[in-house]
Amino acid sequence: REPEVIVPTADRVNITSPTHPDSSKWYSNKNPLFKWDLPSGASEIILVLSKRANSLPIIKYSPPISEKALTDLEDGIWYLNGRFRTSAGLGPTTSFRFNIDTQPPKDFNVVRFDTDDPTNPRPEILFESSDATSGIDRYEMKIGNGDWFKINPSEVGKAYKLPLQRFGTREVLVKAIDKAGNTAESSIKVVIEPVLIPQPLIKEVVLPKTE
């Protein structure tokens, strides 16, 4: 069998994805959908799903389809590779990268670091998680009835000082969020004791002198 002619100048498969539009980002959706326009004169499209870019497409669709849905894919970096066949021969292979991460970050604990100073109005806590697939994007924290606020991962892994607090008991919630938006959460109750000022002890009373 004669080798098929590859036409470098032929139309390329311009693959887009409404579910995974940005190849540099991670998504928690494991059921991607892909679309492309069919050029005039295309008689066939050939596709293959692979872990490598520019893998040889082997699955033929004739007449050509203009979209493809995939389901229940594993986590990781994937490529959908495709090319058209026309009357002139086969076009070049093009690849579309997409990234899937459906698993939350690793479970973690929040512990208090400054246990020797229960009156500290800025308690220090330790926490850190990890994510093997997409990586940790950020942490978020909520203290008592306050609002959630963001914490950069560079501030984690060492003693983190809470904002200034009044004495009392606070529940501190911490969320680890990976680059696909999956989350893991942990909490701790922090007790801040009031600073007790000793009652003054009168040891001597000096009366004013009278004439």
Side-chain angles (χ1 to χ4, degrees), residues 161-173:
K161 291 185 177 181
L162 299 183
L164 191 65
Q165 304 291 314
R166 292 176 58 85
F167 68 86
T169 301
R170 308 281 190 281
E171 182 179 25
V172 179
L173 299 175

Side-chain angles (χ1 to χ4, degrees), residues 91-118:
T93 297
T94 57
S95 297
F96 182 86
R97 170 177 165 163
F98 60 102
N99 313 301
I100 296 176
D101 181 4
T102 62
Q103 299 301 311
K106 186 178 179 180
D107 290 339
F108 64 99
N109 293 317
V110 183
V111 298
R112 185 164 182 175
F113 182 71
D114 61 330
T115 54
D116 59 336
D117 185 8

Side-chain angles (χ1 to χ4, degrees), residues 1 4 44-47 57-63 85 90:
R1 183 179 178 181
E4 297 183 276
E44 187 175 66
I45 186 169
I46 311 172
L47 302 172
I58 57 175
I59 303 174
K60 300 178 180 181
Y61 297 89
S62 180
R85 183 192 298 278
L90 286 171

Side-chain angles (χ1 to χ4, degrees), residues 187-204:
S187 66
I188 187 175
K189 287 190 181 296
V190 174
V191 178
I192 306 167
E193 297 180 1
V195 177
L196 299 178
I197 301 176
Q199 186 175 0
L201 177 63
I202 300 175
K203 294 184 177 180
E204 182 181 358

Side-chain angles (χ1 to χ4, degrees), residues 37-49:
D37 293 328
L38 295 176
S40 176
S43 60
E44 187 175 66
I45 186 169
I46 311 172
L47 302 172
V48 71
L49 177 67

